[in-house]
Amino acid sequence: MWKPERSTNKPLYRQIAEHIEQRISIGELPPGSVLPSERKLAEQYGINRSTAVQAYDELRASGVIERVPGSGTRVSKHLWGMTPLSVPNWSRYVEGGTFLPNLPFMRRIRESIQSGENHINFASGELAPELAPNEAVRTIMTQHPFEETLGYGDPQGYAPLRVQLASFLRTYRQIQATDESILITSGSQQSLYLITQCLLSPGDAIAIENPSYCYSLPMFQSAGLRLFGLSVDKHGVNPEEIRTLYRQHRIRMVFLNPNYQNPTGTVLAPARRLEIVACCEQLGIPIVEDDAFSMTSLETDPPMPLKTLDHGGTVIYVGSLSKIAASGLRIGWMVAPQSVIHRLADARQQMDFGLSIFPQWIAAHFLNSGELARHLDGLRLSLRHRRDLLVDALIRELPEEITFELPNGGLNLWCKVNKPVGDYELLEKGIKQGVLFVPGSVYGSESGYVRLSYARPREEEIETGIRKFAEALRTTLAPR
Ligand SMILES: Cc1ncc(COP(=O)(O)O)c(C=O)c1O
């Protein structure tokens, strides 16, 4: 946040006026936009109210802003010639485009994270920085000379990384992939994006779990797809519902997150897996298996992907390093039939010419280093400890108010609030208490659920965070 410079000779009010003028001229404050009150402006810039009044007086005198009776101070609607640039109406532009804005709850959470107020963060479904393999990455960077060319690479992805991934998938996931059947993407998110953009058309019906991963919901809607929910019970989705949706809406694809599903943490039951793959094979509908979490199993062996049951090429398998190593590397992958890989690699070339060589080079060395197995063992132990800290704190603080199923993997705990509660009010009360979490409605579920991620906060924050959450919940539930 910009603040005026107190050590220069230029008066503070002038600096503020120039700063506002500059924000107007670059379109950040379009004509007609409402400006903060003088009191708010003073707070924002850390100045006296009288300095704020002086700054506005100056801008008003030059016609850049105007006072509108009843609605405060606004940027003048008639700015032509007043500023060095003619100002496009950015607010109209930003409402356009095919990509929907993020969900309001997610924007509110992001703003709170960015505010620097140090909320205890149960909202971000990612690993805490101390859980990433930083030491292994440092070693790779110091011990291996970087000798790759720095031109546009293969849009299908850095070949040595695809070779390493094929071996990783064989060893850890029993998936028989070759480097040719793998596409490297910028996280699983880009795999999902490419699939929606290149393999589906606006108006197509798809089946997704309900509730399901929140960042994929607006992306599917932006692609003009019609979404139909598959309810998720203790054993995952029910194959019968897929058949029904096919009969009723001719669904063209099924998106599943069968292992430690986000947000519910459920694992699709073995018998249902067989039935779902058989049913989709019979109907000729592809399954997109988003397998972000299977390697984070906490107590048992990781569940095997649906892809291992697929012998005819029905399943597109999507994975990533985000939840098992580092989301900032942006390394994701997809295993699919050749024709699909070629189509998506071609789209990738048009879109961004492929992923930067650097994270791909690091990931290839990481997978080849033998560090991965050690890292995964440590990660699972830490996640299990964090999950237990979270669960113990919840049982202590909210024994009556909350119920949940203990997840055996993934990063999240899906909690049901046992009394009716407003998502918006609960989130705002939480933010006030200094704690962040995600209201269940963000995932498409009915209200009254909350997702708490145990991977992101520091271990020592978990107990305090749950005390704050409990306080927020109790005050929200308290009769008025
Ligand atoms: C189920 C699921 N799929 C995909 C993603 C996207 O992850 P990334 O793009 O970092 O691989 C996430 C992130 O939270 C997720 O939970």
Side-chain angles (χ1 to χ4, degrees):
M1 178 74 188
W2 178 88
K3 289 269 186 307
E5 189 55 70
R6 288 179 185 273
S7 55
T8 69
N9 291 334
K10 192 182 276 188
L12 292 180
Y13 81 89
R14 231 354 356 255
Q15 292 184 49
I16 307 270
E18 280 176 10
H19 182 66
I20 294 174
E21 218 167 343
Q22 189 203 3
R23 292 178 64 201
I24 294 171
S25 73
I26 60 172
E28 211 179 285
L29 296 170
S33 56
V34 181
L35 293 166
S37 67
E38 283 143 351
R39 188 179 54 76
K40 275 259 162 60
L41 188 80
E43 271 170 29
Q44 229 174 35
Y45 289 113
I47 50 170
N48 291 330
R49 189 163 175 275
S50 57
T51 311
V53 171
Q54 239 180 325
Y56 273 176
D57 281 348
E58 166 135 330
L59 289 167
R60 214 175 295 115
S62 58
V64 174
I65 65 171
E66 57 196 7
R67 198 186 288 287
V68 182
S71 55
T73 303
R74 286 171 181 265
V75 177
S76 171
K77 284 200 172 134
H78 313 286
L79 270 181
W80 302 106
M82 292 292 181
T83 55
L85 303 169
S86 50
V87 184
N89 188 344
W90 287 113
S91 53
R92 292 280 291 282
Y93 281 93
V94 300
E95 281 162 15
T98 48
F99 227 83
L100 292 174
N102 211 335
L103 301 167
F105 276 136
M106 298 315 287
R107 276 186 278 164
R108 179 77 180 102
I109 292 167
R110 193 180 52 207
E111 276 163 25
S112 303
I113 293 172
Q114 287 170 346
S115 71
E117 284 171 30
N118 287 330
H119 294 92
I120 297 179
N121 184 355
F122 295 104
S124 304
E126 63 170 341
L127 302 179
E130 62 272 22
L131 296 180
N134 282 317
E135 194 49 49
V137 170
R138 257 192 300 277
T139 308
I140 289 165
M141 293 188 356
T142 48
Q143 292 191 348
H144 298 270
F146 179 82
E147 283 164 351
E148 301 302 319
T149 53
L150 287 171
Y152 293 125
D154 183 342
Q156 191 177 334
Y158 179 50
L161 175 57
R162 286 189 278 122
V163 170
Q164 289 302 327
L165 276 172
S167 149
F168 162 80
L169 290 169
R170 256 193 316 277
T171 313
Y172 285 90
R173 310 283 61 222
Q174 291 179 19
I175 291 175
Q176 301 304 322
T178 64
D179 54 327
E180 281 305 307
S181 59
I182 295 176
L183 174 74
I184 309 289
T185 56
S186 173
S188 325
Q189 188 72 2
Q190 192 180 42
S191 294
L192 299 175
Y193 181 68
L194 287 166
I195 291 167
T196 56
Q197 293 295 317
C198 304
L199 306 183
L200 294 166
S201 307
D204 279 351
I206 60 165
I208 58 167
E209 291 145 327
N210 182 22
S212 69
Y213 168 53
C214 61
Y215 281 108
S216 56
L217 298 176
M219 180 170 71
F220 291 147
Q221 285 158 347
S222 299
L225 304 175
R226 290 181 297 132
L227 310 185
F228 295 96
L230 297 164
S231 47
V232 181
D233 65 23
K234 260 194 186 160
H235 306 291
V237 300
N238 188 332
E240 232 1 87
E241 287 191 26
I242 296 179
R243 284 206 181 84
T244 309
L245 286 182
Y246 182 75
R247 267 196 309 275
Q248 292 176 344
H249 304 286
R250 285 286 179 270
I251 47 168
R252 295 207 62 223
M253 211 174 260
V254 179
F255 286 78
L256 296 177
N257 177 205
N259 299 319
Y260 312 125
Q261 197 248 0
N262 184 6
T264 61
T266 37
V267 175
L268 184 59
R272 289 189 178 184
R273 289 174 186 247
L274 288 168
E275 228 187 298
I276 287 174
V277 173
C279 149
C280 289
E281 269 173 2
Q282 192 191 18
L283 299 173
I285 325 173
I287 301 172
V288 175
E289 177 179 28
D290 180 357
D291 190 28
F293 301 108
S294 64
M295 301 290 292
T296 60
S297 61
L298 304 181
E299 276 149 27
T300 52
D301 285 339
M304 277 300 137
L306 282 183
K307 182 74 183 159
T308 56
L309 305 173
D310 168 35
H311 305 294
T314 293
V315 178
I316 295 182
Y317 178 81
V318 170
S320 124
L321 285 184
S322 291
K323 314 294 174 180
I324 55 171
S327 48
L329 282 176
R330 304 310 299 134
I331 294 289
W333 54 85
M334 182 193 301
V335 180
Q338 291 273 285
S339 56
V340 172
I341 295 292
H342 289 156
R343 165 77 172 102
L344 300 188
D346 176 66
R348 194 71 207 283
Q349 175 144 34
Q350 299 173 55
M351 219 177 256
D352 62 357
F353 288 111
L355 193 64
S356 161
I357 178 69
F358 294 112
Q360 299 193 77
W361 180 83
I362 290 170
H365 281 290
F366 180 58
L367 292 177
N368 193 28
S369 68
E371 279 301 316
L372 178 70
R374 214 184 346 264
H375 165 76
L376 284 173
D377 287 345
L379 175 67
R380 287 201 195 103
L381 279 180
S382 301
L383 288 176
R384 184 170 163 177
H385 183 52
R386 282 158 194 258
R387 179 204 61 182
D388 293 345
L389 286 174
L390 175 65
V391 164
D392 290 349
L394 280 170
I395 293 173
R396 227 179 3 259
E397 293 292 329
L398 295 163
E400 305 290 325
E401 295 86 348
I402 289 256
T403 40
F404 50 80
E405 293 283 333
L406 192 69
N408 188 13
L411 314 184
N412 309 306
L413 187 73
W414 181 240
C415 304
K416 178 167 176 23
V417 182
N418 294 329
K419 289 190 184 153
V421 67
D423 280 355
Y424 176 77
E425 192 184 348
L426 180 58
L427 179 63
E428 289 304 323
K429 289 250 164 70
I431 291 174
K432 216 159 152 199
Q433 288 288 334
V435 62
L436 297 171
F437 46 87
V438 187
S441 55
V442 162
Y443 302 92
S445 92
E446 60 206 82
S447 68
Y449 286 84
V450 171
R451 193 197 76 172
L452 298 170
S453 169
Y454 44 83
R456 185 64 184 78
R458 281 182 280 122
E459 271 178 29
E460 58 277 20
E461 289 178 330
I462 291 179
E463 202 182 327
T464 321
I466 290 307
R467 240 180 278 130
K468 288 170 185 280
F469 172 66
E471 187 55 31
L473 182 59
R474 276 194 293 264
T475 51
T476 313
L477 292 176
R480 274 153 239 230

